[in-house]
Amino acid sequence: MKIINCPLNGPRNAQEFVHGGEFVAMPDPHRTSDSDWAGFVFLENNTAGVVREWWCHVPTAYWFIAERDTIKDEFIRTFDPSEIFRERVEFTRPEATKS
Amino acid sequence: MLNPSVVPARSFLYRELQKRGAALGEVNGYGCAMRIGSDAAAEDAQARSLGLCDLTPLKRIGFKGWATAEWLIGQGATLEDAPNRVYPQDDGARIARLSKGEFVILGDLHLRSTLPDRLGIAWSINNASGCFRVPREDASAWLCLSGEHAGAMFAKVCGIDMRPQHFANNQIAQTSLARMNAIIMRNDRGATLAFDLVFDLASAVYLWNALLDAMTEFDGKPVGLEAVRGLG
Amino acid sequence: MTRMTSRLAEPFGSLIDRAKPITFSFEGRSVQGFAGDTIASALLASNITMISRSFKYHRPRGPMTMAGQDGNTLVQIGPEPNRLADRVAIKEGLVVKGLNYWGSLERDYFALLGLFDRFLPVGFYYKAFYKPRWLWPFWEAVIRRVAGLGKVDVHAHHGYFDKEYLFCDVLVVGGGPAGLEAALKAAETAGEVILVDENASLGGSLNYARFDEVGARARVERDRLIAALDARPNIRVMTDTVCNGAYADNWYPLVKANRLYKLRAKTAVFATGSYEQPLTFRNNDLPGVMLGSAAQRLIKLYAVRPGQRAVVVAANDDAYGVALDLLDAGVEVACVTDLRADPPPAPLSAALLKRHVPVIAGVTVYEAEASAGGRGVCAVRLAKVTSEGIAQIMGDRFVCDLIAVSTGYAPTSPLISQAGGTFGYDEASAMLAIRSLPADVVAAGSVNGAYALDAALEDGRHAGWQAMRSQRLAAGDEPRLSAEKGARGITWPFPIFSHPRGKNFVDFDEDISVKDFEHAMLEGFEHVELLKRFTTNGMGPSQGRASSMPAIRLAARHAKRTIDETGTTTSRPPVTQVKIGHLAGRSFDPVRYTAMHFRHLEAGARMMSAGLWLRPEFYGDPKQRAALITAEAKNVRENVGLIDVSTLGGLDVRGPDAAEFLNRMYTFAYAKQPIGRSRYVLMTDQAGVIIDDGVACRFHNDWFYVTATTSGVDAVYRSMLWYNAQWRLKVDITNVTAAYAGVNLAGPNARKVLEKLCKDADLSKDAFPYMGVREATVAGIKALLLRVGFVGELGYEIHVPASRGEALWDALMIAGKEFGIRAFGVEAQRVLRLEKGHIIVSQDTDGLTTPWEADMAWAIAKTKPFFVGQRSLEIQAKQKFARKLVGFEITDRAQAVPKECHLVIRGTEITGRVTSIADSTSLGKIIGMAYVAADQSEPGTTIDIRVDGGAMVKATVVKMPFYDPDAARQEL
């Protein structure tokens, strides 16, 4: 069983984690085409190589981001999402931006 | 002997304890197993060898949120930054720091520490911005596993190396224990190796029996609160 | 010739204790052995050479490796099939039987199958029996009976199997000379070393092989190593322990007796040694044909003389050691036939020459002649080796009852391969050799090409040093490695000889002979992986340890390619047989009880699983199930009922952004929700599919208590944390499901009951209306009160700390007595909520259901800037949807009653399915929900539901709710 290095809890058996899917930025839902939105919802990049993924340490419900080489099946780096998400995210509808 | 049905608060384990001949006494509004069986000396020795004790009746409280550490320090708690560590307090309480912003505060075995109650009274959603109460006293069962074989016994239920030379006193592992999420804290009592287990109250009967089964190999048995108090 | 194998005197028999005789039974006969004997050694000591019959032709078989590496010794022990007789130690009273016979092991009626082998080529079963299809079950039963293997006793007592985690710095697999040296070296600085060996005794080949003329060195080396080991307390020795696979990041299953250890090592050293390889000639499977090492094990470990008169087949100097050992054990050695035309001078062959044993060079065994009934060997005929795999029969015939074969080795590669190491073919040694190893994996000894004893010892020390280095521990100077490893000239490159009359077996497990490979390759199964699957070579109990290399050599020759070009098959765990008990082990099945669990049991509840929880399905005798459910539901409608809803998920969402957060997570709007009110929550995923629902209760501007479904709450909680890890709102989410015990007190008398116990809240309709929420005290317990209407009557959900749940339940049952209170279970609740047309997420919705389909457009806020699933729902709203969730009723009582999942059919088309159905006593008709085609969703439409047996039942689409459409009762 693989070991995953949780930024909060340290190295743990992979059994303690769930995979949360590819790390993909959500397009602005009100300013993107229907087909681009469908692509975001339904398509996976499935990259062979180094990818970013969401992982969750289940006993602590702690989410983090991992960089993993899908060819070698090796974790390269894991880190807290606050490295990427530093600020409060706001949503606006297009009509709201006009005013 | 106390009839548990006359007190409002009930550990999920009181029937299991009664089955094993526990003498219940009132602790904190609960029926608490003070002694199990009639041979106190043997029970004390059991706690030093391998004993399992239900501490669910004792005081505990939880807090969580981005400003919780500051709030706790403001209330007189002593803390450091490292998560997954237990920080013993002057009054005998122990503050377990589970992450940057999540804490469980365990009272002492003799109900002398006042910190859990003081924090409970001091906190209100109106006066503790960024700090939120977690009802650990209601959501979590609390067991103490004590004795020299405790570290080895964990190998049968847990994928982390809990042997004393590999898992330091006051270290915390939040992990899977017999396929359940649990917080395992090493809190030695006196000179005796001891672990506090804090986990989902609803699974208390399941985990209690799973642990006792794993303990059989080491002649582990349930013990009452007095036996654990006696460890120091 | 009669076989007179018997016990030898000491010092032979290092494993047995002659002072402890043990009696067991074999095929109904009483057999005596000694403590330390395996079943096979005890049988051979008692002149029983035939232990089982083969899988396909039912040919008599005896031990070939005496090391648990072949399938010839599979026996049935009591209720347990397929145990290895040369691995299992005897115990008093053990009941052992052979396998694969009909009648008795001695007289097997199916043994005649061997006469028809030319009609039973590989692939025969696939080809002969698959048509006509309907006859297959008949043939399958026949084939299974003939093909056999053991019998499982389904009534057998279940043993106590369990699992344990282990941790170490260095794992050493294999306790032979190299493994011992590696463990000793690594233990100099590594903290914890675990040394695992599948045998009863450490030492590997030092226990049985011969390294010098007088045969003294093995003992000396073993004693030295064991003494050094005893002085190292940081080495944990695990004998009789199989390392049964290699998994990612140095994770290893170790099987010892009834325990499966799951070991995590920092570094692994594989000193797994090598398999001595059999030679393929006609009748090479007879009892009495064995590996040279097997004969040596019998002599040295068990003090069993393996025969009276032996022919030794050699292709290396070790074979001469076998001959010397046989002589020492009092076996007459008729001759040594050496496949090599010109054997080079070597110490052991030189020693044998002094003992006047004839050595015939350039010659192999052409065939073994069977004694009566094929139960043993009576003679060999020899042949001159003329070219690769071809030998010309000679006149020579030697009478003998033992053929000991030492013609080559193959590295014990499976664990290294599984760990990610690679092997390639080394032409010079005619063996596979390691090409690469992953980090933190080290190989030592003969598996690493170090065959000579000195080379193996050196290589072990070097491997221990490498293991320390891989952990950056102080390791000292690199130990010396000699260039000469002794790998060359010990393995015959093509140990497979054709014979016009066949029976020259390559795979003993599955009775696969040379012609089977030839046929398979002629049919086009040339690739090794295809060849393996078509012939089933290497797929039996011995997993190709003896048959894999010969198969590759045959395939390479057939295709005129090199071994590397031909390739090897992939090794996968487990390495050897594994018991289901080890996998099942002491299984952990967490189960969650509510605070009132024991009260339900005391009231006679039938419990059902809801995720990990147990919930009362109904209360009372299962024979009265339907009547009890009806009565429970009726009591809610007419008096008052009490149901335990503690399993419902509960989440505290708190902070200045709590309302904003709910706005984003759920479809409805929460910003303006008043304090003291609850509001329905519906959660969709980004695709707009319904994934959960519940209510959000606002107790404070910054505090919502949000309920979620029993099975959905963990995923909802995790998903909330995930979104807020990105949004960074000032909100905290806490899963408080287990903290609260909850009940729903429902029915026209609910208020009267509650008023008796709750004095600090005004429970009147105006002060505490439908959808109101309050903090109050009930029976002296601090509680959250929620006026909700899931079952459609006046009702209060009461949530209290879980430790107080039992006390609350007791108080309500007592207070409610005068008002006809009765506990009701999940089934009654399902009927009641169906009457109200409330969906249950994941029962009435599936992985595609959108709020549009479920007719829940009312729950979608129109003007919010964002919620999860919003964009997808907007896109879907512009499209036509194919199906709709509707209510239906069946009034014609003469029709069969459909069940959940019965299909809605229109013509030849499936347009939907029933998701919920119940016989509603309140309404006097069958009601249900179903998916139907969008154009069938108008009330009044007749739909056809296909029930069990194929009959069509007519139902009518109706508007929901079925019961109390004006909601007058729940808003009382």
Side-chain angles (χ1 to χ4, degrees), chain C residues 98-121:
Chain C
L99 293 185
N100 302 327
Y101 57 81
W102 188 39
S104 72
L105 182 62
E106 285 289 312
R107 299 203 169 277
D108 172 17
Y109 300 109
F110 283 137
L112 294 171
L113 280 170
L115 301 178
F116 301 106
D117 67 327
R118 88 174 90 152
F119 305 114
L120 296 171

Side-chain angles (χ1 to χ4, degrees), chain B residues 9-10 14-15 30 64 126 132-133 138 155-156 158 161 163 166 179 200 202 206 210 213-214 217, chain C residues 160 162 164-165 167 192 259 586 588 592-593 598-599 613 654 700 732-734 738 801 803-804 806:
Chain B
R10 294 169 208 177
Y14 80 81
R15 287 177 178 80
Y30 283 80
K64 167 170 183 271
N126 297 313
F132 304 93
R133 243 195 98 156
D138 298 322
K156 294 182 71 181
C158 171
D161 194 348
R163 292 173 299 168
H166 294 274
R179 273 188 64 208
D200 170 36
Y206 160 74
D213 181 49
E217 182 179 340
Chain C
Y160 185 90
D162 70 357
E164 183 176 332
Y165 292 93
F167 310 88
E192 292 176 292
R259 182 166 288 177
R586 187 168 82 98
F588 294 117
R592 305 179 81 186
Y593 291 169
F598 294 98
R599 288 290 183 260
W613 294 95
R654 291 171 292 186
H700 184 278
D732 180 82
I733 307 125
T734 305
S803 58
R804 269 75 174 171
E806 197 176 277

Side-chain angles (χ1 to χ4, degrees), chain C residues 634 636-639 747-749 751 770 787 791-795 836 963-972:
Chain C
K634 189 163 181 277
V636 175
R637 294 273 179 252
E638 292 176 359
N639 297 308
N749 293 338
R751 184 177 288 122
Y770 180 62
R787 271 206 66 183
V791 298
E793 299 293 338
L794 168 66
K836 286 298 294 178
Y963 176 82
D964 187 27
D966 305 326
R969 297 183 64 89
Q970 69 193 22
E971 292 177 17
L972 273 176

Side-chain angles (χ1 to χ4, degrees), chain C residues 735-905:
Chain C
N735 186 346
V736 292
T737 302
Y740 290 103
V743 295
N744 185 10
L745 178 72
N749 293 338
R751 184 177 288 122
K752 290 180 208 154
V753 177
L754 191 57
E755 274 169 349
K756 284 176 71 180
L757 297 172
C758 176
K759 304 295 180 196
D760 60 350
D762 183 348
L763 300 179
S764 67
K765 182 187 172 187
D766 296 332
F768 188 4
Y770 180 62
M771 295 303 273
V773 295
R774 296 288 180 275
E775 290 179 87
T777 309
V778 179
I781 303 164
K782 231 173 96 75
L784 303 178
L785 299 183
L786 284 54
R787 271 206 66 183
V788 293
F790 194 53
V791 298
E793 299 293 338
L794 168 66
Y796 300 87
E797 272 190 24
I798 309 166
H799 295 241
V800 298
S803 58
R804 269 75 174 171
E806 197 176 277
L808 174 75
W809 182 269
D810 291 349
L812 286 165
M813 289 305 278
I814 292 165
K817 200 164 184 184
E818 61 178 299
F819 304 106
I821 199 167
R822 176 172 181 165
F824 65 105
V826 174
E827 283 301 329
Q829 181 181 246
R830 281 186 181 164
V831 176
L832 295 166
R833 68 88 205 179
L834 180 58
E835 289 171 348
K836 286 298 294 178
H838 293 307
I839 63 159
I840 294 177
V841 171
S842 80
Q843 172 165 340
D844 300 304
T845 70
D846 56 33
L848 296 169
T849 308
T850 65
W852 311 129
E853 290 177 347
D855 215 6
M856 296 179 84
W858 56 269
I860 311 291
K862 303 291 183 300
T863 56
K864 287 200 290 187
F866 173 80
F867 64 85
V868 177
Q870 180 187 42
R871 179 65 201 273
S872 292
L873 288 172
E874 286 173 2
I875 295 171
Q876 288 159 10
K878 293 182 282 186
Q879 298 166 342
K880 275 191 166 175
F881 38 90
R883 60 174 192 168
K884 246 189 135 170
L885 184 67
V886 297
F888 67 85
E889 62 179 34
I890 299 170
T891 44
D892 177 3
R893 289 284 185 166
Q895 299 188 94
V897 179
K899 294 176 187 160
E900 283 159 15
C901 280
H902 278 167
L903 299 177
V904 178
I905 305 275

